[in-house]
Amino acid sequence: MEIEFTKYHGLGNDFILIDNRADTEPIISSEQAVQLCDRHFGIGADGVIFALPGKDGTDYTMRIFNSDGSEPEMCGNGIRCLAKFLWDLEGVDSKTEYRIHTLAGLISPKLEGEDKVRVDMGIPQLLAAQIPTTLAEADQKVINTPIEVAGQSWEVTCVSMGNPHCITFVEDVAAISLEAIGPQFEHHPAFPQRTNTEFIQVVRPDYLKMRVWERGAGVTLACGTGACASVVAAVLAQKGDTRATVELPGGCLEIEWSEQDQRVYMTGPAKRVFSGRL
Ligand code: ZDP
């Protein structure tokens, strides 16, 4: 069977998008996804994203495989790419706001220009059992909590945006050896579902510099859920504002944790790169 795909990226976090509207299960297996994501033996991407039929009254369902074949609950940069993909599939006269079912619940992206998407990312979850992590009692938050990783003591703040994030504030993000330390956070026994790991330098309360080690994907140029989680963590740790710019290696995202409805709003680019056939 021939399968068409289109590559998109959000700040260099790149994805293979598959039109899966005719089937309720992904038409590519997680093993195939690993091969397609390979940057030497495949197309090259941080993940594969499927646009499936909607569930529970939503327009569409999003599923995603990381480049290691694992399936995360949500993907912030990916859902911006998905919105752009749907708009490209449906034609320019189609609607510009979508209700998307994900494993993290209902997420709503809205196109705000040719390559710009604003996403209602929902309400962050802050309790240890929800992250999940064993760093605190199930019903407690994890804010500036000590953890031993790579023979060193760190203070971490944990936030779930549907997927787990462990945030550490540091003086200088450039000084962190991500490749060495990232995997040790990801696989630390305190995180039963593994974790995405963000290092944040607070340049100003409204401007954070971030580097990320993603669960199941390693070093990436950007992470949308991670940028949202980091702004929430900065507020919890009293280091940042509820509205901030997050600078990632691939560019900037605008994040707002709304005091009115407790939801997190993320605005950033989504760009089509090329289409092909498998
Ligand atoms: O939670 C995970 O396993 C992540 N690797 C999912 C992907 C997150 C992403 N980088 C984002 O932008 O939120 C795509």
Side-chain angles (χ1 to χ4, degrees):
M1 180 175 75
E2 278 205 343
I3 297 176
E4 290 193 20
F5 69 88
T6 308
K7 262 212 60 183
Y8 287 78
H9 79 90
L11 301 178
N13 195 193
D14 57 345
F15 303 100
I16 299 162
L17 276 286
I18 306 284
D19 179 0
N20 210 119
R21 292 176 297 174
D23 277 284
T24 53
E25 285 301 313
I27 54 176
I28 286 174
S29 68
S30 60
E31 294 79 15
Q32 281 173 300
V34 173
Q35 203 270 321
L36 295 177
C37 287
D38 191 290
R39 296 197 182 277
H40 302 287
F41 295 95
I43 299 161
D46 293 325
V48 179
I49 293 176
F50 304 88
L52 304 116
K55 262 185 209 164
D56 311 330
T58 57
D59 300 316
Y60 293 99
T61 298
M62 173 174 84
R63 300 236 341 235
I64 165 172
F65 291 133
N66 284 317
S67 53
D68 77 348
S70 60
E71 181 170 12
E73 302 82 354
M74 235 305 269
C75 175
N77 289 322
I79 204 157
R80 293 202 316 278
C81 292
L82 179 73
K84 179 84 165 95
F85 179 55
L86 292 170
W87 194 70
D88 289 343
L89 282 177
E90 290 181 350
V92 290
D93 294 330
S94 71
K95 61 176 175 176
T96 52
E97 197 167 355
Y98 298 96
R99 290 162 50 82
I100 309 287
H101 176 84
T102 75
L103 293 178
L106 171 71
I107 308 285
S108 310
K110 182 176 195 280
L111 280 134
E112 286 202 327
E114 175 117 22
D115 290 331
K116 194 170 149 200
V117 185
R118 175 177 159 94
V119 187
D120 172 353
M121 297 282 283
I123 298 174
Q125 303 206 290
L126 308 177
L127 305 183
Q130 297 171 321
I131 307 293
T133 177
T134 56
L135 281 175
E137 295 295 324
D139 59 350
Q140 299 295 309
K141 293 178 187 163
V142 181
I143 304 172
N144 292 328
T145 301
I147 184 175
E148 192 81 21
V149 183
Q152 217 179 313
S153 182
W154 308 79
E155 282 190 0
V156 299
T157 300
C158 296
V159 174
S160 169
M161 290 303 305
N163 56 353
H165 293 274
C166 173
I167 294 105
T168 305
F169 296 97
V170 296
E171 287 285 305
D172 178 10
V173 279
I176 297 289
S177 39
L178 261 189
E179 310 259 358
I181 294 166
Q184 302 198 44
F185 273 91
E186 179 183 356
H187 297 282
H188 193 285
F191 302 105
Q193 301 290 326
R194 296 150 61 196
T195 190
N196 294 288
T197 304
E198 287 84 15
F199 294 94
I200 298 291
Q201 179 179 339
V202 180
V203 178
R204 291 192 310 269
D206 67 349
Y207 196 99
L208 312 181
K209 220 181 213 185
M210 163 173 153
R211 286 178 71 210
V212 57
W213 176 270
E214 274 189 40
R215 175 181 68 170
V219 175
T220 60
L221 295 179
C223 176
T225 49
C228 295
S230 296
V231 169
V232 171
V235 172
L236 296 175
Q238 299 184 322
K239 292 174 192 292
D241 295 344
T242 53
R243 198 187 261 265
T245 300
V246 180
E247 182 193 312
L248 302 121
C252 291
L253 290 172
E254 302 300 328
I255 310 293
E256 183 192 351
W257 188 17
S258 165
E259 271 148 300
Q260 264 147 32
D261 60 16
Q262 308 304 311
R263 307 176 87 84
V264 180
Y265 295 89
M266 168 189 70
T267 307
K271 290 208 160 68
R272 187 178 167 283
V273 188
F274 66 91
S275 295
R277 203 162 278 158
L278 296 174

